[in-house]
Amino acid sequence: MDRRDFVRMGLAAGGAVSLAPARAAASPSKIWQGGILDAGVAEQQQWMEANKLTSHSLTSQYLARIKSIDKSGPRINSVIEINPEALKIAREMDRERMARKVRGPLHGIPVLLKDNIATGDRMSTTAGSLALAGVRAERDAHVVAQLRAAGAVIIGKTNLSEWANMRSTHSVSGWSARGGLTRNPYALDRNCSGSSSGSGAAIAASLATLAVGTETDGSIVSPASVCGLVGIKPTIGLVSRSGIIPIAHSQDTAGPMARSVSDAALMLSAMVGVDEKDAVTRAAGTVDTNYAKALDKGALKGKRLGVARNFFGSNDDLDEAIEKSLEVLKAQGAELVDVKVPNTDKYNDSELQVLLYEFKTDLEAYLKQYAPNAKIANMADLIAFNRQNASTELRYFGQEHLESSEAKTGLDSREYQEALANNQRYSRAEGIDQILKEQRLDGLVAPTGGPAWLTDFINGDHYGGSFSSPAAVAGYPHITVPAGYVHGLPVGLSFVGTAFSEAALIGMAYAYEQATQHRRAPQFPASVSLAVR
């Protein structure tokens, strides 16, 4: 079956209730170049509105693709659990559409969730840990309730770096004891980065239309960058943190991961909202969150952007790719100013201290509210469980961060309060906001990070440079967009701004994306290393 036959079959399935998995089992190379599963939200909606596609048939095809690509075929191992109610939900969305009750742009659109986001259904929520295997959350996270209300079809959970990469000082991103290792679709021997590894790999491989990731520092933008995706880390308070297995409330947030800026913008609009259980979201009630209005091809014209030169220099080939991106920005009407983001070295240590303090407190609160029947109730229980199950949980690396977190006292500690104040001072007022004001900038741009590294269970991760920390510590928005390839591996260009500047950043990111169209679907090579030689 060639690609055109597969697409024609998918479109013709619009009036049917399902698509037999056997008929969707074409090889990845023949499914790949465009078509229904690689399409975006707007195109899929057009097909459904024209009665050429149903949510049920679309969901069926994604589930078949997960089986053929994720669990066999290249076996990228990005989906940790399938929602047994996915087809039932999709069928209900089709019934609503037939009754002319379309909830919005995400109506009937298949979505994957990172497995640290609570769902009050038949799926587990585990953060990749065997300590929570089989544990079902008491209720949906607020962001899940928002997506369901928007008509999204939650089709499963994605693998992640266990405990969102806050377990060991020598961790391997994309590995969890429950889910195993997620592999990068652009080179199967390379890492997806973390901790939203599964979300990144799954959307790159077109296993769903959209996915939700979470970030404390880099966990959305880094896997998005190395998987050739758009990732948006929102301002803290734009998206509720309720029901997300935490690291630290001062930096944690969920955000969209998608194959285009427009898809990410539509998803973000559905995710935001005031949550009475998360007081910080009240600020979102004053923001216009219809981000589709920001999708303007001319949005870069007249913008003044700071090129954060202190985040260049980690990789010559990466710098060359980003320099070409800067030329595109200028060609689209942006004025570029070389700058140095100030004081980025003044919160390296204090950031970790805040995370360690908040992890202990926040984890216990989550377990009490969302998983009261779990076999662990706090950090000490988790550490003990891992020691008792060392052959599975500790087979590749330890739990130094968990142990350091357990040794911390409460959030009334002077050390914690001083560290938090230090973070906010040097990342916000004397960091991003200072350089934006001094240079009269609309935003900052820089390489998101280096290309994907070889997965190494002996030495652990070896990141290249990263631009994630300033926005992460400040709690400010950060968007990464595909910026080309380094030896066949995707890299991203980052746009960063002050609090609640998502609309402006989305506009600029969209204008850049439309001028470049860098993203190419992966071909699942075993390695790109030989090709480089």
Side-chain angles (χ1 to χ4, degrees):
M1 179 185 300
D2 68 20
R3 180 185 62 80
R4 288 173 297 177
D5 288 338
F6 183 86
V7 174
R8 191 180 305 116
M9 177 189 68
L11 294 177
V17 294
S18 66
L19 176 68
R23 295 180 66 194
S27 65
S29 62
K30 291 184 178 180
I31 293 173
W32 251 127
Q33 303 301 323
I36 187 173
L37 301 186
D38 200 40
V41 171
E43 191 171 7
Q44 290 176 352
Q45 288 291 358
Q46 288 170 3
W47 286 337
M48 286 191 277
E49 286 296 322
N51 296 318
K52 295 180 179 179
L53 176 69
T54 65
S55 177
H56 190 281
S57 65
L58 181 60
T59 301
S60 295
Q61 290 181 70
Y62 275 129
L63 293 176
R65 186 167 173 80
I66 290 169
K67 185 176 180 180
S68 65
I69 296 294
D70 202 57
K71 303 307 179 188
S72 56
R75 191 176 171 81
I76 60 173
N77 199 37
S78 62
V79 178
I80 203 169
E81 185 171 0
I82 295 295
N83 184 0
E85 298 174 326
L87 292 176
K88 178 183 177 182
I89 297 169
R91 188 178 290 113
E92 180 57 32
M93 292 302 102
D94 288 333
R95 290 194 186 103
E96 290 189 9
R97 187 182 295 275
M98 289 178 66
R100 300 187 182 278
K101 296 179 180 178
V102 176
R103 304 185 187 193
L106 298 194
H107 190 103
I109 298 296
V111 172
L112 286 163
L113 304 174
K114 186 177 178 181
D115 186 38
N116 62 345
I117 302 172
T119 53
D121 55 16
R122 293 164 60 189
M123 290 189 290
S124 303
T125 304
T126 72
S129 172
L130 297 177
L132 294 179
V135 176
R136 296 177 182 173
E138 293 284 290
R139 58 187 181 277
D140 282 343
H142 184 268
V143 69
V144 176
Q146 292 287 99
L147 290 170
R148 291 195 202 274
V153 179
I154 309 301
I155 66 170
K157 298 280 188 80
T158 57
N159 196 23
L160 69 161
S161 310
E162 188 172 315
W163 295 110
N165 236 357
M166 192 62 177
R167 206 192 83 178
S168 174
T169 56
H170 294 84
S171 66
V172 174
S173 290
W175 181 89
S176 71
R178 181 183 176 220
L181 176 69
T182 296
R183 302 194 291 173
N184 194 310
Y186 287 90
L188 297 175
D189 59 350
R190 291 189 179 257
N191 206 270
C192 290
S193 189
S195 60
S196 303
S197 319
S199 294
I203 299 308
S206 293
L207 304 186
T209 312
L210 302 164
V212 181
T214 68
E215 175 162 330
T216 305
D217 188 338
S219 289
I220 290 174
V221 296
S222 183
S225 175
V226 302
C227 289
L229 299 177
V230 175
I232 301 179
K233 185 207 82 75
T235 303
I236 297 296
L238 191 64
V239 175
S240 173
R241 300 160 296 183
S242 297
I244 298 174
I245 296 177
I247 292 178
H249 60 266
S250 64
Q251 292 183 207
D252 289 351
T253 183
M257 300 176 73
R259 292 184 289 271
S260 69
V261 174
S262 59
D263 281 4
L266 290 171
M267 190 181 199
L268 182 61
S269 294
M271 294 170 66
V272 302
V274 177
D275 177 11
E276 63 181 15
K277 296 183 179 65
D278 188 356
V280 74
T281 61
R282 291 172 188 157
T286 64
V287 178
D288 182 356
T289 57
N290 181 1
Y291 294 114
K293 295 191 299 186
L295 300 173
D296 176 9
K297 291 183 180 181
L300 282 165
K301 187 175 182 179
K303 293 298 190 297
R304 186 174 166 90
L305 296 174
V307 180
R309 288 294 177 184
N310 48 328
F311 290 91
F312 286 67
S314 65
N315 181 301
D316 290 343
D317 293 327
L318 170 65
D319 286 353
E320 182 179 349
I322 300 302
E323 291 296 340
K324 293 178 181 177
S325 294
L326 299 182
E327 291 303 314
V328 173
L329 297 178
K330 289 192 288 186
Q332 295 301 306
E335 179 184 358
L336 303 185
V337 182
D338 285 348
V339 300
K340 179 179 179 180
V341 182
N343 296 317
T344 57
D345 59 339
K346 292 186 178 178
Y347 45 81
N348 291 332
D349 295 333
S350 59
E351 179 189 12
L352 178 58
Q353 292 306 309
V354 167
L355 303 189
L356 293 173
Y357 270 100
E358 293 185 4
F359 192 17
K360 177 181 179 180
T361 300
D362 293 355
L363 177 61
E364 184 171 351
Y366 170 87
L367 292 170
K368 182 178 181 180
Q369 295 174 37
Y370 286 87
N373 297 319
K375 63 188 72 174
I376 62 169
N378 51 44
M379 188 69 70
D381 289 350
L382 172 57
I383 292 168
F385 175 89
N386 288 343
R387 288 173 179 164
Q388 293 163 7
N389 297 273
S391 63
T392 50
E393 279 289 353
L394 305 179
R395 63 184 299 189
Y396 294 121
F397 48 86
Q399 54 180 341
E400 299 89 353
H401 283 323
L402 303 186
E403 292 164 349
S404 295
S405 179
E406 172 58 21
K408 297 299 184 184
T409 54
L411 301 187
D412 57 351
S413 160
R414 181 176 178 179
E415 180 185 43
Y416 164 73
Q417 293 177 353
E418 290 180 348
L420 180 61
N422 184 82
N423 286 354
Q424 294 175 347
R425 173 185 175 183
Y426 288 116
S427 65
R428 295 178 183 175
E430 297 182 36
I432 292 174
D433 289 332
Q434 177 178 314
I435 196 65
L436 292 179
K437 183 177 180 180
E438 286 179 351
Q439 297 293 331
R440 298 176 288 106
L441 302 174
D442 296 293
L444 300 168
V445 294
T448 307
W453 59 92
L454 290 167
T455 296
D456 185 349
F457 280 102
I458 297 174
N459 298 305
D461 288 336
H462 40 98
Y463 296 94
S466 173
F467 187 44
S468 68
S469 289
V473 177
Y476 287 177
H478 182 167
I479 301 177
T480 183
V481 184
Y485 299 83
V486 171
H487 302 301
L489 299 171
V491 293
L493 176 69
S494 285
F495 295 80
V496 165
T498 191
F500 299 107
S501 62
E502 278 83 358
L505 297 180
I506 286 170
M508 291 185 283
Y510 178 76
Y512 168 77
E513 174 198 55
Q514 294 301 300
T516 55
Q517 298 290 334
H518 277 305
R519 182 184 180 271
R520 298 291 181 268
Q523 299 297 314
F524 309 99
S527 178
V528 297
S529 297
L530 294 177
V532 172
R533 294 173 190 160

